Amino acid sequence: MTMGRIHSWESMGLVDGPGIRTVIFLQGCRLRCQYCHNPDTWEIDGRAETKTPEEIIAVLNRFKPYYGSTGGVTFSGGEPLLQKDFLAETLSLCKEQGIHTCLDTAGYGNGGYEDILKHTDLVLFDVKHYTREGYLNITGQPMDESLRFLQAVQEFNIPVWIRHVAVPGLTDSREHLMGLFEAVKQIKNVQKVELLPYHVLGVPKYKAMGIPYRLEQVPPKDASELEQWQNMMNEYFQN
Ligand code: SF4
């Protein structure tokens, strides 16, 4: 029996995809983003609730009346692609039930993307950095796997929302954001770009887990400083 390892749930999420959504955070991630605020999702064998795809669908069906015509379910993480069999099976059941499906991912799985993407309506793709060097610096891993996933998304013609965290001194310069804009223009079916200001809400988790936090000296980013860039992206991608 395929079992999923669930880190946590959000029953009525409003920020991870369109409309009102149930957000399911799956356990496990192979990246180690410097600014990650969920280090407790990293370990594949970390503390998690186990559920079958059928059990997930039973929960989603209870929330279905709240989804309306735009909402649905978002699988996030951690990295949801790492639980590929569970994810593909659950997505397939969601589509059978008429539930809109969304993946919130950095694209860093283990292949098997076709089985997942054929049941996916929308991909929220987290661009860590648009250069190989920058990607390695931020995540500790080479960029290739995320490019493989993005290629598969493009082949399936799935709409994409890009997400990017602007970290002071790391990914928030004019040069960097221009480079990001140019790189994102090369991706097909982008409907939206969301620039996310760096925050420090996850820092206490590092302390509690005894993991060194590499951005200790970096202040949170004020969202207003991104407004001009966000407007430019909106104008280009949402028209
Ligand atoms: S991909 Fe997400 S969960 Fe994984 S380390 Fe990066 S921010 Fe954290």
Side-chain angles (χ1 to χ4, degrees), residues 184-195:
V184 172
K185 279 195 217 166
Q186 310 306 314
I187 303 173
K188 279 192 304 175
N189 298 326
V190 173
Q191 294 184 337
K192 192 172 182 176
V193 175
E194 293 179 325
L195 296 175

Side-chain angles (χ1 to χ4, degrees), residues 56-116:
I56 299 283
I57 296 300
V59 175
L60 296 182
N61 274 334
R62 287 210 301 275
F63 287 113
K64 212 170 158 186
Y66 298 99
Y67 298 157
S69 57
T70 50
V73 62
T74 297
F75 291 91
S76 183
E79 174 50 79
L81 299 175
L82 287 181
Q83 299 190 40
K84 58 185 174 191
D85 296 336
F86 166 76
L87 184 59
E89 208 173 315
T90 311
L91 288 168
S92 158
L93 293 177
C94 287
K95 293 318 300 171
E96 277 177 25
Q97 298 293 318
I99 297 171
H100 181 273
T101 56
C102 179
L103 293 181
D104 174 18
T105 174
Y108 220 86
N110 278 326
Y113 300 140
E114 291 72 15
D115 289 340
I116 293 169

